[in-house]
Amino acid sequence: MDKRETFSSRLGFLLISAGCAIGLGNVWRFPYITGKYGGAAFVLLYLLFLVILGLPVMVMELAVGRASRQSIARSFQKLEPPGSKWHWYSFVGFAGNYLLMMFYTVIAGWLLYYFVKMLRGDFTGLDAEGVARQFGSLMGQTGTMTLYMAVVVCIGMFVCLQGLRNGVERVNKIMMLCLLALMAVLAVNSVLLEGAGDGLRFYLQPNFHNLVYDGEGKFILGEAVFAAMGQAFFTLSLGIGAIAIFGSYTGREHRLTGEAVRIGVLDTCVAFTAGLIIFPACSAFGVSTGEGPALVFVTLPNIFNHMALGRLWGGLFFLFLSFAALSTVIAVFENIIAFTMDRWGLSRRRAVLVNFVGVLLLSMPCVLGCGVWSGFTVLGMDVSGLEDFLVSQNILPLGSLLYVLFCTSRRGWGWDRFLAEANEGEGMRFPAGVRGYVTYVLPLIVLFIFIMGYWNQFGG
């Protein structure tokens, strides 16, 4: 067996795998769709789909990585039957990692910039319109956006340069533990705000009528089900080999179902705690949770601006967000670097250098798309929207579908080999009785998510 780097501890594996899954979608998308589709009742629906949809795919991706001891560059090639073409997907998965980082590094740079602005007191005395103007002005500051994006890329690549144990594992352990501690402090502060009760009741007390009908009496159950499916699916960053790479670094002491459950629990705890931060605060100050960037970069700074010790709490909030973003950036960078090393036999140092230049240059279209290229669109999408669409609505679902088929098809790795790998070690078994479900039903659900993504984008 080829010599391969390994984690120094099980905790390191769990925290960095969870760090890859934990990202900005936990913080700004989860609260928004939870507020839109019924609060606590939607959370229960989301948890159901996380168990029946997200976790099986995660176990399969981890199993492919651990069995092959390779990144997506050669994992399919090592496990597939002779003469088959499953490995053709490797370059698509690699492209998915790059596309993700081409806009994610830019957003992570915004968060670092807002952390600095919050500590400087740049939002002091501004109303909601003033905060919105601050965000709008950032979009036109190409130099500032490029600088902070470059800082994110430098941090991520420098950590990966130190190696798996000394860099990626050590730094992610610290960041993830700090992230969880910051979230706990912020959640307690929000819950104790005067007027937070209504937000807490909406978030924690299930009302299934709100899941079926919105405030205007419109039937929304179908939309809510699809939204819960999508959030449960996309939150775990499945389908591009970003989880498989950490499977390739872990040992066989523990069964993979239990590991996937622990990663899923950490990911869900972060999303849930983000709701505890945002819903009480929005309720206390009488504002909407909003959608997407407006929630994080306009609504929440305005709330902190009117809160006692707002600069402190706002600074901590954007520090927590920066840690969440950087944990994903470092994890995906490690996958990109491992691909380069496995595919072309480069040393880690050379792989870091090549990809540092590559990510830096390929992130520039997103930076420019927010400013001087803001009028450029493809199919009605700007640069970052197009990059996000290619990853989220194409590569992630189709890549996940391929992992499922590879692990269940006789023409792929096959069910028996997958099950043996998943159940090697101690802990929770992957149940053999769900073979029919994961072979026939799960692929149809993933395909449905893929089709509905196009319908929502172009046909809705």
Side-chain angles (χ1 to χ4, degrees):
M1 181 178 293
D2 297 335
K3 184 178 179 181
R4 188 156 187 87
E5 292 182 276
T6 58
F7 289 109
S8 64
S9 68
R10 186 186 186 191
L11 179 63
F13 160 70
L14 293 173
L15 288 178
I16 190 173
S17 299
C20 181
I22 292 166
L24 303 180
N26 297 69
V27 179
W28 70 38
R29 187 171 188 270
F30 180 77
Y32 163 69
I33 61 172
T34 298
K36 184 177 181 179
Y37 294 114
F42 176 83
V43 174
L44 295 176
L45 188 63
Y46 159 74
L47 292 174
L48 170 66
F49 284 116
L50 187 69
V51 172
I52 67 173
L53 176 58
L55 291 180
V57 181
M58 175 172 278
V59 174
M60 291 176 178
E61 190 168 326
L62 285 171
V64 169
R66 191 172 73 172
S68 65
R69 313 300 289 178
Q70 297 285 322
S71 69
I72 195 174
R74 296 195 179 276
S75 56
F76 290 106
Q77 198 168 17
K78 188 166 183 179
L79 301 178
E80 68 187 358
S84 58
K85 306 298 181 184
W86 297 90
H87 63 276
W88 285 5
Y89 176 72
S90 62
F91 284 103
V92 178
F94 183 59
N97 283 270
Y98 251 93
L99 279 166
L100 177 61
M101 290 297 99
M102 284 160 60
F103 65 88
Y104 207 96
T105 53
V106 177
I107 299 173
W110 296 352
L111 296 171
L112 284 177
Y113 182 57
Y114 259 58
F115 169 62
V116 173
K117 286 174 71 66
M118 188 63 71
L119 291 184
R120 286 194 316 217
D122 290 355
F123 300 112
T124 302
L126 297 180
D127 57 12
E129 186 176 338
V131 176
R133 282 198 299 268
Q134 288 263 347
F135 182 63
S137 68
L138 172 62
M139 297 298 98
Q141 297 173 25
T142 301
T144 300
M145 292 176 65
T146 301
L147 172 63
Y148 279 89
M149 176 273 290
V151 169
V152 169
V153 176
C154 286
I155 292 172
M157 289 295 177
F158 179 77
V159 170
C160 292
L161 180 62
Q162 310 310 307
L164 179 66
R165 291 191 178 188
N166 294 329
V168 176
E169 182 179 357
R170 178 179 295 175
V171 172
N172 264 277
K173 273 184 182 178
I174 296 170
M175 278 202 309
M176 288 296 296
L177 293 174
C178 289
L179 183 153
L180 296 174
L182 283 171
M183 290 198 78
V185 171
L186 288 164
V188 170
N189 177 68
S190 287
V191 168
L192 294 178
L193 289 172
E194 185 177 352
D198 289 341
L200 277 175
R201 279 189 290 274
F202 174 77
Y203 189 48
L204 300 179
Q205 185 173 316
N207 183 335
F208 291 96
H209 182 272
N210 293 340
L211 186 65
V212 180
Y213 298 98
D214 65 10
E216 300 176 354
K218 178 185 175 183
F219 183 77
I220 60 169
L221 181 59
E223 294 179 25
V225 169
F226 175 68
M229 280 185 181
Q231 182 66 17
F233 181 75
F234 295 122
T235 188
L236 298 176
S237 301
L238 302 170
I240 55 174
I243 294 296
I245 183 61
F246 302 118
S248 78
Y249 291 145
T250 193
R252 291 187 163 85
E253 296 85 4
H254 304 283
R255 293 177 180 139
L256 294 175
T257 303
E259 307 296 70
V261 167
R262 290 175 179 86
I263 295 167
V265 166
L266 274 173
D267 178 79
T268 303
C269 282
V270 169
F272 181 78
T273 309
L276 285 179
I277 296 170
I278 291 169
F279 281 108
C282 287
S283 172
F285 291 93
V287 299
S288 168
T289 54
E291 179 179 5
L295 170 64
V296 171
F297 296 107
V298 178
T299 302
L300 292 175
N302 186 47
I303 289 175
F304 291 125
N305 197 32
H306 291 85
M307 186 184 293
L309 299 175
R311 284 172 62 179
L312 170 64
W313 295 115
L316 289 176
F317 180 76
F318 282 101
L319 179 61
F320 136 65
L321 278 182
S322 298
F323 282 164
L326 283 169
S327 68
T328 300
V329 166
I330 291 170
V332 177
F333 277 3
E334 176 62 21
N335 193 31
I336 290 172
I337 291 164
F339 182 102
T340 310
M341 294 164 64
D342 290 346
R343 172 64 65 175
W344 293 291
L346 297 182
S347 66
R348 178 173 285 269
R349 182 176 296 275
R350 289 187 177 181
V352 167
L353 178 61
V354 168
N355 287 293
F356 170 76
V357 175
V359 173
L360 205 60
L361 292 177
L362 291 174
S363 296
M364 284 306 301
C366 180
V367 172
L368 297 173
C370 296
V372 295
W373 291 358
S374 58
F376 174 78
T377 61
V378 176
L379 299 175
M381 295 174 278
D382 59 16
V383 175
S384 61
L386 177 63
E387 292 169 347
D388 186 17
F389 174 73
L390 290 174
V391 177
S392 299
Q393 302 299 336
N394 291 272
I395 297 177
L396 289 180
L398 293 180
S400 296
L401 179 62
L402 184 133
Y403 271 104
V404 172
L405 296 177
F406 184 67
C407 290
T408 57
S409 172
R410 295 177 183 176
R411 298 180 181 179
W413 190 28
W415 172 259
D416 292 337
R417 293 184 182 89
F418 155 70
L419 194 65
E421 180 64 40
N423 287 335
E424 185 167 347
E426 299 179 352
M428 187 184 302
R429 283 185 172 275
F430 192 90
V434 301
R435 180 176 184 176
Y437 166 73
V438 298
T439 302
Y440 302 108
V441 179
L442 184 56
L444 291 177
I445 296 176
V446 177
L447 195 59
F448 172 74
I449 291 173
F450 170 72
I451 294 171
M452 286 300 296
Y454 268 81
W455 174 258
N456 289 340
Q457 185 69 37
F458 302 112

